[in-house]
Amino acid sequence: MNQEHDYRSLFDNAVEGMYRTTPDGRYLAANLALARIYGYASVEEMMAGLTDIARLLYVDPGDRDRFRASLHGRNQVRNFVARVRRKDGSIIWISENARAELNRDGTVRWYEGFVEDVTDQVRAEERLRLAATVFDTAAEAIMVLDDQFRVTAVNPAYSAITGFAPEEVVGALPAFLQAGDPDPETPRVLLTTVQRAIDNAGRWTGEQWNRRKSGVRYAEHLSVVSIPGERGQSGRYLVVFSDVTQRVLDEERIRYQASYDQLTGLPNRALFMDLLTQTLSQAERGGEMVGLMFVDLDGFKLVNDSMGHDAGDQMLQEVAARLKRCVRASDTVARLGGDEFTVLMPNLGDFRHAPAVAERITERLQAPFLLNGKEAFVSASIGITTFPHDAGDAASLLKNADAAMYRAKEQGKQTFQFFTPEMNAEIEERLTLIHGLTKALERQEFTLFYQPKVRLADGGLSGVEALLRWRHPELGLIPSAKFIPIIEESGLISPISEWVLETACRQHKAWLEEGFDIRVSVNLSVRQLRQPGLAGTLAALLDRVGIAPSGLELEITETMLMKDTENALQTLAALDEMGIGLALDDFGTGYSSLAYLKRFPLQTIKIDRSFVADVASDPEDYEIVRTIISMGHSLRRRILAEGVETAEQLAVLRELRCDEVQGYLLSRPLPADALGRRLRERGLLPPGTLRAAAG
Ligand code: C2E
Ligand code: MG
Ligand code: MG
């Protein structure tokens, strides 16, 4: 009785479900654990519900037949796994161990067994199997990395994509993480970048080029996720990537096709407008000038119609190539369509630089085109606009360039036009001047005027400044300010400078012979100052003409000294050594300090006339002039004020103890004979002036 009670308790309280059933599937006995497994509150409820196990419990009724068949063979089954339906209809997996109790005649008396809910295990196994299948059959490459980012496993897709077998990569850092790879074409993600992304977001995704084992490049889309370690294990990383080479190449091609002209490879209208817009906003910020040229071919239609489209295409390609050779690397040539091209010049600097490019284009296009073995010709009409002068936005600028191009067509083609009439006028004048200047020397159209420099202390003449004048056959006398910058830019400056020096020296000599010892000052150009052996050339000239070095003074501007200081210093030292006078011209315009200029052997400093102009009316200019004079004196330099036009200016300069003056008040620049006549007739200064100067 007691023993039976113990068994009863064991049965009732067991964790595993236990049962005894009739062969046709009715419960004879069951414990609470079983009822719970099947979702019933009590054994009674279960027995009332599950009246036919085969039909009501097993999801697959055949399972009961299998179960019975197994039992009949060996009288027992182990780990019989089946799906069963719980009371609420949910389905779980169970595992049964059971045996059959037989009657004497061998028929089954009952079945009895243990039931365990193995749903969790089955599901876990299922998941594992699934994971393994995914790993093996995925189209994406999968890598498992340890906590040090070393590869612990790769799947077949990995090998298929990269060409590396698992044993070649296991234990290594994955290629995409290898920073410092010698192959510059496959940028590497830095380990720290990935690490940081994973720390912050739990994953890192990226796209980049990599190389297969064969060396062929491929694009990969990668994601790296971290799998935290469980139960003391260290974490791992899962890397999944796919080969997106085709997509990336397609995108590149589409982007290219959308931005570039198929025929010439030049940026198309869309890309050009983007570039133009960008360039303008940059230029606006930097305060720079942008040039835009609209280049339209003249006579292209004729070539296309008479020689065929194929020849026309060839010509456009060749035009594109020639245009590119006419511009700087920072400029952009684009094809808007048809025979229309544009040239974008982001750092034009000065609108006067554009014609040179336009002329180069015109010239390069003049050479014959060889199309299918036959020669053909085109020319171009070019419209030029500048930002910000002509327009403030990309569309208007292009419209203006187009309009200017039409004007070039109207002018008879094969020429260029600015959008702005004043620019056209100025460029035209410039071209006329350049053209005339090339002939001026041989036609003896140059002459020198001389402007006196006067000592304030005694009213005496301290020298004259030689100023170049050009007697243009139609335009008359042209002052140097108009044409000297043009000469300096072109290659004409050297022969003209030589002529000026020689003429000035000869004039000094001529005056000497008349009894006037007048030192002549000559303005030096940058090019002359840079010219090696300038001192030697001058020595030879002085010798040839037969005058002393002290009869000559050279005027040098501040900016010339600042550009090439060391060289200038040497040249000036040599000239000083020879005894040639040296003066600093236009002082105050170059923003350099007197202290800086102290190093140069310059005896005289000429205050720029812009300061002198307002010295009597503007306290600031007054202060500047005062400072230059007093500092100059402390450095033992003579100070000359240029551009003195009024008696007031003269009075102030005298008060400030300026040494010398030069300007219209005392005398305009005069031809040599006029100056000589004046010297002979009535001394240097107009009556009254001398007294004003002296008084
Ligand atoms: P600069 O050396 O400062 O010459 C003085 C300029 O001021 C001259 O102009 C002169 O005519 C002008 N000027 C003189 N007094 C007055 C005045 O009271 N009021 C005003 N408003 N102007 C006055 P120019 O002859 O047109 O020469 C301009 C510049 O061209 C010169 O400036 C000089 O830098 C350069 N230049 C002139 N001749 C030569 C030359 O033979 N060779 C070189 N390399 N440069 C020259
Ligand atoms: Mg001068
Ligand atoms: Mg000057």
Side-chain angles (χ1 to χ4, degrees):
M1 169 75 206
N2 221 348
Q3 213 176 26
E4 189 177 331
H5 175 80
D6 282 352
Y7 287 136
R8 185 78 222 169
S9 153
L10 189 67
F11 181 73
D12 286 342
N13 299 320
V15 199
E16 281 188 309
M18 292 184 196
Y19 66 84
R20 182 176 287 172
T21 64
T22 60
D24 60 354
R26 272 178 303 108
Y27 281 110
L28 297 171
N31 66 354
L32 185 59
L34 186 72
R36 292 260 161 84
I37 288 174
Y38 292 158
Y40 295 93
S42 66
V43 177
E44 291 71 33
E45 192 197 358
M46 182 181 75
M47 286 193 173
L50 283 178
T51 48
D52 177 356
I53 295 173
R55 212 165 40 79
L56 299 176
L57 185 62
Y58 290 94
V59 173
D60 178 358
D63 279 348
R64 183 68 182 174
D65 297 336
R66 275 201 298 126
F67 178 76
R68 287 227 301 261
S70 315
L71 273 174
H72 286 170
R74 287 176 289 131
N75 284 341
Q76 60 174 25
V77 287
R78 288 195 172 279
N79 299 322
F80 181 85
V81 175
R83 287 192 303 154
V84 299
R85 196 172 285 115
R86 299 175 84 227
K87 183 193 168 195
D88 63 2
S90 63
I91 289 166
I92 59 169
W93 289 88
I94 56 163
S95 171
E96 284 180 76
N97 288 324
R99 58 179 285 276
E101 176 77 25
L102 302 181
N103 292 314
R104 290 237 172 81
D105 60 359
T107 57
V108 175
R109 204 156 150 214
W110 62 62
Y111 300 136
E112 55 189 19
F114 300 88
V115 172
E116 204 185 339
D117 181 349
V118 292
T119 309
D120 287 349
Q121 278 128 278
V122 170
R123 294 254 161 86
E125 275 163 31
E126 226 169 40
R127 268 203 302 276
L128 268 181
R129 236 189 345 268
L130 188 67
T133 314
V134 169
F135 189 77
D136 286 339
T137 60
E140 282 82 19
I142 302 172
M143 281 190 271
V144 183
L145 313 180
D146 65 15
D147 59 340
Q148 301 300 305
F149 286 98
R150 310 225 161 245
V151 179
T152 57
V154 293
N155 72 343
Y158 172 89
S159 300
I161 292 174
T162 65
F164 290 105
E167 59 272 19
E168 290 177 288
V169 289
V170 166
L173 263 188
F176 78 93
L177 285 176
Q178 283 171 23
D181 189 284
D183 181 354
E185 276 201 58
T186 49
R188 302 298 183 193
V189 189
L190 287 176
L191 204 53
T192 48
T193 313
V194 176
Q195 184 76 70
R196 203 172 312 131
I198 288 175
D199 287 349
N200 290 339
R203 66 159 58 225
W204 175 85
T205 336
E207 208 160 276
Q208 65 164 6
W209 286 99
N210 209 332
R211 274 184 198 280
R212 305 185 209 275
K213 191 182 178 184
S214 62
V216 174
R217 268 158 36 103
Y218 72 98
E220 57 189 5
H221 178 92
L222 289 145
S223 64
V224 183
V225 293
S226 84
I227 308 165
E230 264 175 31
R231 284 179 240 123
Q233 282 183 308
S234 47
R236 280 171 300 170
Y237 297 96
L238 188 68
V239 181
V240 179
F241 67 85
S242 48
D243 183 341
V244 291
T245 312
Q246 196 54 49
R247 193 204 76 210
V248 170
L249 290 180
D250 286 350
E251 281 171 4
E252 274 177 11
R253 207 187 54 242
I254 289 165
R255 209 174 316 130
Y256 184 86
Q257 283 170 350
S259 315
Y260 290 87
D261 170 42
Q262 296 294 292
L263 183 64
T264 60
L266 295 177
N268 64 12
R269 181 186 287 266
L271 178 57
F272 173 74
M273 289 312 281
D274 281 354
L275 288 172
L276 181 59
T277 309
Q278 265 174 37
T279 305
L280 294 190
S281 71
Q282 261 166 28
E284 188 151 41
R285 257 176 278 137
E288 287 145 19
M289 176 181 269
V290 177
L292 172 61
M293 264 183 213
F294 199 109
V295 181
D296 188 284
L297 300 184
D298 312 317
F300 175 73
K301 196 175 168 336
L302 191 70
V303 172
N304 216 19
D305 291 349
S306 63
M307 299 178 73
H309 287 275
D310 181 42
D313 284 356
Q314 276 182 46
M315 177 172 260
L316 291 173
Q317 287 171 333
E318 175 66 20
V319 167
R322 290 190 194 181
L323 287 179
K324 277 209 272 191
R325 270 180 262 130
C326 292
V327 303
R328 290 186 292 185
S330 53
D331 298 343
T332 303
V333 179
R335 181 176 173 225
L336 298 192
D339 58 355
E340 295 174 348
F341 297 84
T342 46
V343 178
L344 174 61
M345 298 168 286
N347 300 302
L348 190 59
D350 188 329
F351 77 92
R352 296 170 190 85
H353 296 156
V357 182
E359 269 167 7
R360 203 151 55 227
I361 290 173
T362 312
E363 199 184 290
R364 296 270 167 91
L365 291 184
Q366 254 166 19
F369 290 76
L370 206 60
L371 310 174
N372 297 330
K374 276 187 230 144
E375 278 195 348
F377 295 87
V378 274
S379 60
S381 295
I382 301 170
I384 309 171
T385 43
T386 58
F387 169 91
H389 187 278
D390 295 345
D393 65 283
S396 321
L397 201 62
L398 187 65
K399 209 180 74 205
N400 291 348
D402 192 11
M405 183 277 293
Y406 267 101
R407 235 176 293 139
K409 291 252 186 220
E410 283 164 14
Q411 303 268 315
K413 303 180 177 169
Q414 194 171 10
T415 182
F416 66 85
Q417 280 288 299
F418 277 96
F419 177 68
T420 316
E422 308 89 71
M423 288 186 186
N424 278 330
E426 190 183 323
I427 294 296
E428 203 165 306
E429 184 188 58
R430 210 174 141 82
L431 288 177
T432 318
L433 289 184
I434 290 177
H435 185 73
L437 279 168
T438 55
K439 307 265 162 61
L441 199 56
E442 63 184 68
R443 290 186 185 161
Q444 302 187 331
E445 289 167 1
F446 287 122
T447 180
L448 288 185
F449 275 37
Y450 298 89
Q451 188 179 33
K453 302 178 179 185
V454 175
R455 276 191 303 271
L456 277 183
D458 58 4
L461 185 70
S462 67
V464 293
E465 177 175 6
L467 294 161
L468 186 59
R469 295 289 179 270
W470 176 22
R471 274 186 212 285
H472 191 277
E474 287 122 44
L475 304 171
L477 199 65
I478 305 178
S480 24
K482 265 253 152 103
F483 66 91
I484 293 246
I486 301 179
I487 301 183
E488 283 184 343
E489 279 167 32
S490 64
L492 294 165
I493 189 77
S494 303
I496 296 174
S497 303
E498 275 164 37
W499 179 87
V500 170
L501 271 170
E502 173 138 9
T503 310
C505 288
R506 289 197 187 285
Q507 187 57 56
H508 173 71
K509 170 91 172 172
W511 279 325
L512 268 184
E513 281 165 359
E514 280 185 64
F516 299 112
D517 185 358
I518 306 170
R519 178 152 84 169
V520 181
S521 301
V522 171
N523 292 286
L524 217 57
S525 70
V526 197
R527 244 174 244 247
Q528 279 172 296
L529 186 66
R530 292 221 185 116
Q531 179 190 317
L534 175 66
T537 313
L538 284 172
L541 172 65
L542 295 172
D543 201 47
R544 192 164 68 239
V545 178
I547 59 168
S550 57
L552 181 65
E553 183 183 56
L554 299 175
E555 295 192 4
I556 292 134
T557 63
E558 222 175 324
T559 33
M560 284 162 67
L561 296 182
M562 280 152 63
K563 266 182 197 147
D564 193 4
T565 306
E566 287 316 309
N567 247 331
L569 206 53
Q570 275 185 20
T571 308
L572 294 190
L575 297 175
D576 184 46
E577 184 85 357
M578 282 170 64
I580 293 177
L582 296 171
L584 183 61
D585 205 354
D586 302 345
F587 181 74
T589 54
Y591 306 104
S592 60
S593 67
L594 274 175
Y596 167 79
L597 296 166
K598 198 173 73 178
R599 314 162 61 193
F600 299 98
L602 303 155
Q603 295 94 43
T604 307
I605 290 165
K606 302 182 72 176
I607 305 176
D608 190 71
R609 66 168 183 267
S610 57
F611 301 104
V612 175
D614 295 325
V615 72
S617 55
D618 182 341
E620 219 167 277
D621 283 349
Y622 174 87
E623 197 49 40
I624 291 171
V625 171
R626 193 187 65 78
T627 311
I628 296 176
I629 294 173
S630 77
M631 283 189 67
H633 282 162
S634 65
L635 294 170
R636 280 192 255 295
R637 304 295 200 263
R638 289 182 69 75
I639 310 295
L640 180 148
E642 341 176 278
V644 179
E645 293 182 350
T646 67
E648 289 77 36
Q649 291 163 356
L650 189 69
V652 172
L653 291 163
R654 177 185 295 286
E655 168 209 317
L656 292 176
R657 319 194 125 273
C658 188
D659 301 294
E660 294 174 30
V661 289
Q662 179 184 350
Y664 294 168
L665 176 67
L666 303 125
S667 171
R668 291 191 169 256
L670 298 170
D673 50 352
L675 186 68
R677 207 161 34 236
R678 202 147 136 186
L679 286 173
R680 278 190 307 275
E681 284 168 8
R682 44 180 170 132
L684 173 67
L685 304 173
T689 316
L690 184 60
R691 235 161 290 132

